Amino acid sequence: MSQRPIPHLRWGVAALLCLASELNYLDRQTLSVLAATIQKDLGLTDVDYSHITSAFLMTYTVMYAVAGRLVDVLGTRRSFLIFVSGWSVANMLHGFARSALQLSFCRALLGAAEPANFPAGLKAVSEWFPMRERALAVGIFNGGTALGGAVAVPVVSFIALRWGWRWAFVATGALGSVWVLAWALFYRLPQDHPRLGAAERALILGEDGAEAAGAASVSLRAVLGMRAAWGCILARALTDPISYFLNFWIPKYLQAERGFTLAALGRYGWIPFAALAAGNVFSGAMPRWLISRGWPLDRARKATMLAVSCAMPVLCFLVTRVESQAAALAVVSGLFFGHAAWGNITLPAEVFPRHAVGTVTGLGGAFGGLMGVLTQLAIGRVVQGFSFAPIFAAISIAYLTAFALVQWLIGELGRVRPVPGGAPR
């Protein structure tokens, strides 16, 4: 007996992907929320903390370089089952660390497992959504990163204040097993899913024959030979380090520079991450709204990116100059919103066919992670020796530079480029 179709099933897939990203960042942000507490308990300096965060980014970078390729080979279903299980266990191990070296080892394990979330999520979006809906679907998927950060602040603070910081790592890591079970039971490709209606299946699979879901993965050499691939990669290299700064250092900034206690951080520190979630949805919803009013996809996406690129220098100027805690929190929230609204992670799904999205996303994340390692080491020294102000000054110019590279190297968004050696167009 056949099962009844579930209406709008593709948006259920987007919600499940959003939850995966939420867990990814909940586990990642547990250390950031507890940084000051752990530093005090274990006697760690800001430079020690930068080494710990860099350990995460080193393995994250290496694995991001191959994660996209692994996702293209393994497929989205198996990739998520393997890697979500891996990062959940790695996060739980943090609760047993008793030195900077042991924390660095745990962060390295976490960094090895977490990067697959993004090429796998982008690949799932390209499998389940037509081109015109991908920016919004990616916004929902990537919005989970912000939700994870927002949930992490009050939840981790509550657990740490009630039972100690070690239990916060154990509890947040254990949540991954619930998601893994749901994914194993629910996720299939559109052409194989028993609960997908015929009309929705036709919408998903019938848009572009160049994106046949069963196409073979492509070679790295073919991808690296394309200007558009370098546009995606360099945009990530410029903007990913900002993601790591916002996630790893802003909770510390609010405590060290703005006088927030751990309890106050638990009450209010979720607000920037909620703004990040709103920015992720905005990055897809605004272009979709403009498209509904007759704008082409390329113009709609780039208008959104340009507006954000122009606003970020203003926010970076204000963040160190406002005086009250409330004003500082508001400006920081604006930075989080704008960073997400720029929509860097969406680019590969708007430029490449489905069989190449994971590879391009993985390469972009690897370059972004490499830049993240270098900038994390620099941030620790700058913050310890000077202040946060030089960091915000550097951030202010990154978005306009990235936008210029997208315009120069990619050109028109929304036009799928065939990859040499890939599936025939």
Side-chain angles (χ1 to χ4, degrees):
M1 183 177 178
S2 62
Q3 295 176 302
R4 295 179 60 184
I6 299 174
H8 310 295
L9 183 60
R10 66 193 186 280
W11 298 108
V13 172
L16 200 54
L17 295 173
C18 178
L19 288 175
S21 293
E22 183 174 1
L23 288 172
N24 188 280
Y25 266 65
L26 174 61
D27 289 357
R28 188 183 307 193
Q29 285 301 108
T30 302
L31 176 66
S32 304
V33 174
L34 297 172
T37 302
I38 295 173
Q39 282 183 265
K40 183 178 179 180
D41 187 36
L42 300 183
L44 308 178
T45 67
D46 284 338
V47 172
D48 290 331
Y49 180 68
S50 72
H51 291 163
I52 294 167
T53 59
S54 294
F56 170 88
L57 287 174
M58 286 176 186
T59 55
Y60 191 83
T61 299
V62 172
M63 281 303 296
Y64 221 143
V66 299
R69 187 73 172 168
L70 287 173
V71 167
D72 281 338
V73 172
L74 293 173
T76 48
R77 187 171 187 274
R78 282 186 292 175
S79 296
F80 270 120
L81 291 174
I82 293 168
F83 288 104
V84 176
S85 299
W87 85 55
S88 299
V89 171
N91 193 61
M92 295 173 72
L93 291 176
H94 284 65
F96 301 93
R98 298 189 177 276
S99 67
L101 182 61
Q102 291 174 2
L103 276 174
S104 295
F105 176 74
C106 294
R107 294 310 280 180
L109 290 179
L110 188 69
E114 283 206 337
N117 178 66
F118 299 99
L122 265 288
K123 188 176 180 69
V125 166
S126 69
E127 290 168 346
W128 271 89
F129 288 87
M131 179 68 73
R132 64 183 178 272
E133 293 181 343
R134 287 184 192 172
L136 180 56
V138 171
I140 293 170
F141 155 62
N142 203 33
T145 63
L147 291 174
V151 169
V153 178
V155 169
V156 171
S157 298
F158 174 80
I159 296 173
L161 289 168
R162 182 65 62 90
W163 294 289
W165 64 264
R166 298 180 185 280
W167 279 105
F169 286 103
V170 175
T172 54
L175 292 173
S177 59
V178 180
W179 187 92
V180 166
L181 178 61
W183 181 259
L185 294 173
F186 181 78
Y187 189 84
R188 301 291 187 276
L189 288 172
Q191 58 267 37
D192 301 326
H193 206 294
R195 306 298 298 273
L196 182 64
E200 189 173 11
R201 182 178 282 110
L203 173 68
I204 295 167
L205 300 179
E207 184 181 69
D208 193 336
E211 297 187 272
S217 59
V218 298
S219 70
L220 291 176
R221 178 179 296 180
V223 170
L224 291 174
M226 300 184 68
R227 284 170 57 92
W230 282 105
C232 297
I233 290 167
L234 293 178
R236 292 288 299 274
L238 282 168
T239 56
D240 274 15
I242 303 173
S243 296
Y244 304 133
F245 168 72
L246 295 176
N247 285 286
F248 296 161
W249 290 89
I250 288 298
K252 268 182 61 63
Y253 169 75
L254 292 174
Q255 290 180 283
E257 298 286 330
R258 294 297 181 171
F260 282 73
T261 64
L262 181 59
L265 191 67
R267 287 194 298 270
Y268 306 113
W270 59 270
I271 295 174
F273 294 96
L276 190 71
N280 276 306
V281 176
F282 178 88
S283 71
M286 176 55 71
R288 193 181 190 209
W289 182 80
L290 293 172
I291 289 168
S292 71
R293 278 148 180 79
W295 289 41
L297 186 149
D298 177 71
R299 183 183 172 198
R301 279 281 286 124
K302 287 180 178 174
T304 304
M305 295 167 73
L306 180 59
V308 171
S309 299
C310 293
M312 295 302 277
V314 178
L315 293 169
C316 287
F317 175 81
L318 291 174
V319 69
T320 57
R321 287 165 174 79
V322 296
E323 295 184 358
S324 70
Q325 287 185 336
L329 188 65
V331 177
V332 164
S333 298
L335 284 171
F336 274 68
F337 179 90
H339 177 70
W342 202 85
N344 67 341
I345 198 171
T346 311
L347 292 172
E350 295 176 320
V351 177
F352 290 96
R354 292 166 182 160
H355 63 278
V357 167
T359 299
V360 177
T361 303
L363 288 170
F367 275 79
L370 177 60
M371 291 297 293
V373 172
L374 299 176
T375 55
Q376 285 293 304
L377 294 172
I379 288 167
R381 285 164 174 77
V382 171
V383 170
Q384 187 164 297
F386 300 97
S387 70
F388 280 87
I391 310 301
F392 289 114
I395 288 171
S396 68
I397 63 172
Y399 298 93
L400 281 169
T401 305
F403 179 79
L405 289 171
V406 169
Q407 183 70 16
W408 176 43
L409 293 172
I410 297 178
E412 182 184 354
L413 299 178
R415 179 175 66 83
V416 177
R417 276 73 165 174
V419 180
R425 189 170 175 81

